[in-house]
């Protein structure tokens, strides 16, 4: 048997069960064995834990196809800090670990995400952790062109460190040309569609399409569905159409400018 690999997969809080179900289905379909999926490991909202002895590259190839998730982190260690801890304490904890990136010569950057109330900022943790990794392993720091991202997550007084395998969040799968101030994430759109359970040649209608996230996602994953998208705003309709065109899915979606009060007339049987 190989060594257990612990991965932490992030999603939108509240969608953990749906993301775990998709992960389980895709891993099983790819005949990835053995694996264990855990919802909210260590009580972390918006996270799914995955443990497996399968080669990391094989796991990641499957995970990157998942539509309900955002980032994949290869978790190295987890620890609990004393009360009133600070960036220096986190850095000291990291120094005591033997990180798998040790002395591989790859440039890196440290990033930090925090949940809870702390007397320090995320950039302060990034500087402290980045400094000790650079000094301990003689690795070059590169904040933009990095080859490895070391991610420190702090939830109250719990600390987690790992390597983030995803450069961009996986829910950025379409090249949006129109992005209004509020745009629904594609992983949320996917989960909404899965909860709706459309099947066969049914119709999916988004009467407030905005940037078109839901209809574009529906057209991408349900090729037999009729997909309708409307909005009272001309700008939104044209913007959503432009996004669908950029995604190569405009031919699958029927766009119209409609007020919600016009829906029953426009879509009467």
């Amino acid at each position: 048997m190989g060594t257990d690999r612990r991965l932490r997969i992030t999603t939108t809080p509240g969608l953990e069960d749906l993301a775990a179900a998709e992960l389980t289905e895709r891993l099983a379909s790819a005949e990835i064995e053995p694996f264990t999926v855990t919802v909210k490991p260590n009580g972390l909202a918006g996270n799914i834990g995955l443990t497996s002895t399968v080669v990391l590259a094989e796991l990641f190839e499957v995970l990157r196809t998942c539509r309900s998730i955002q980032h994949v982190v290869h978790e190295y260690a987890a620890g609990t800090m004393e009360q009133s801890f600070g960036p220096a304490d986190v850095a000291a904890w990291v120094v005591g670990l033997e990180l798998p990136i040790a002395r591989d010569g790859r440039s890196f950057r440290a990033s930090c995400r925090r949940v809870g109330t702390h007397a320090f900022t995320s950039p302060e943790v990034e500087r402290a952790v980045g400094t000790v990794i650079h000094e301990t392993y003689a690795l070059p720091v590169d904040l933009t062109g990095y080859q490895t991202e070391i991610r420190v997550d702090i939830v109250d007084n719990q600390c987690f460190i790992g390597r983030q395998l995803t450069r961009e969040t996986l829910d950025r799968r379409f090249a949006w040309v129109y992005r209004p101030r509020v745009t629904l994430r594609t992983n949320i759109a996917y989960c909404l569609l899965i909860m709706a359970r459309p099947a066969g040649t049914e119709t999916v209608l988004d009467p407030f399409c905005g940037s078109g996230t839901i209809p574009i996602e529906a057209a991408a994953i349900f090729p037999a569905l009729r997909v309708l998208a409307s909005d009272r705003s001309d700008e939104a309709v044209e913007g959503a159409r432009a996004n669908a065109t950029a995604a190569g899915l405009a031919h699958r979606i029927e766009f119209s400018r409609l007020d919600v009060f016009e829906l029953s007339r426009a879509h009467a049987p």
Side-chain angles (χ1 to χ4, degrees):
M1 296 294 290
T3 302
D4 275 352
R5 293 173 179 83
R6 297 193 310 274
L7 279 75
R8 193 157 43 78
I9 296 105
T10 67
T11 187
T12 303
L15 301 180
E16 298 91 349
D17 288 335
L18 290 168
E22 186 196 11
L23 287 171
T24 300
E25 180 181 349
R26 290 188 184 267
L27 290 167
S29 296
E31 299 182 345
I32 298 290
E33 292 286 350
F35 68 86
T36 302
V37 172
T38 306
V39 175
K40 297 184 188 177
N42 301 104
L44 297 179
N47 283 259
I48 302 99
L50 171 62
T51 303
S52 179
T53 57
V54 175
V55 174
L56 185 60
E58 293 183 25
L59 289 172
F60 186 59
E61 280 304 306
V62 176
L63 296 177
R64 68 191 301 188
T65 68
C66 293
R67 306 186 78 91
S68 59
I69 67 176
Q70 294 169 350
H71 282 295
V72 180
V73 180
H74 182 196
E75 190 170 281
Y76 294 156
T80 301
M81 299 288 110
E82 298 292 337
Q83 296 298 325
S84 302
F85 70 101
D89 301 299
V90 178
W93 172 64
V94 170
V95 164
L97 305 171
E98 183 62 31
L99 300 182
I101 64 163
R103 313 185 207 289
D104 67 359
R106 294 166 62 87
S107 62
F108 82 100
R109 80 168 186 182
S111 63
C112 175
R113 292 159 179 81
R114 294 182 303 108
V115 176
T117 302
H118 303 98
F120 53 84
T121 65
S122 294
E124 289 174 326
V125 175
E126 292 166 355
R127 286 192 293 271
V129 171
T131 297
V132 298
I133 291 176
H134 170 67
E135 293 177 348
T136 303
Y137 302 115
L139 297 177
V141 177
D142 189 335
L143 299 181
T144 57
Y146 58 91
Q147 295 169 295
T148 299
E149 180 169 5
I150 299 300
R151 172 167 166 165
V152 180
D153 288 82
I154 300 175
V155 181
D156 298 325
N157 66 331
Q158 296 182 83
C159 288
F160 307 87
I161 187 167
R163 177 165 66 98
Q164 184 166 292
L165 304 181
T166 40
R167 184 82 175 213
E168 294 286 342
T169 177
L170 293 174
D171 64 359
R172 290 185 182 173
R173 46 183 161 268
F174 301 120
W176 263 203
V177 294
Y178 170 69
R179 186 181 289 275
R181 185 173 61 86
V182 178
T183 300
L184 187 71
R185 285 183 174 272
T186 52
N187 73 305
I188 298 177
Y190 170 82
C191 289
L192 289 173
L193 289 163
I194 293 301
M195 287 190 288
R197 295 187 178 92
T201 56
E202 293 177 345
T203 298
V204 169
L205 165 65
D206 183 355
F208 315 100
C209 69
S211 60
T213 308
I214 292 175
I216 292 171
E217 187 74 4
I221 63 177
F222 297 114
L225 288 182
R226 182 187 182 198
V227 183
L228 307 177
S230 60
D231 201 288
R232 67 179 295 182
S233 163
D234 288 322
E235 177 186 326
V237 172
E238 291 310 309
R241 195 194 314 274
N243 284 341
T245 299
L249 294 166
H251 65 289
R252 290 273 293 108
I253 306 169
E254 301 172 41
F255 290 98
S256 57
R257 196 211 68 78
L258 288 172
D259 188 280
V260 67
F261 297 108
E262 302 174 289
L263 291 177
S264 58
R265 173 188 57 77
H267 301 297

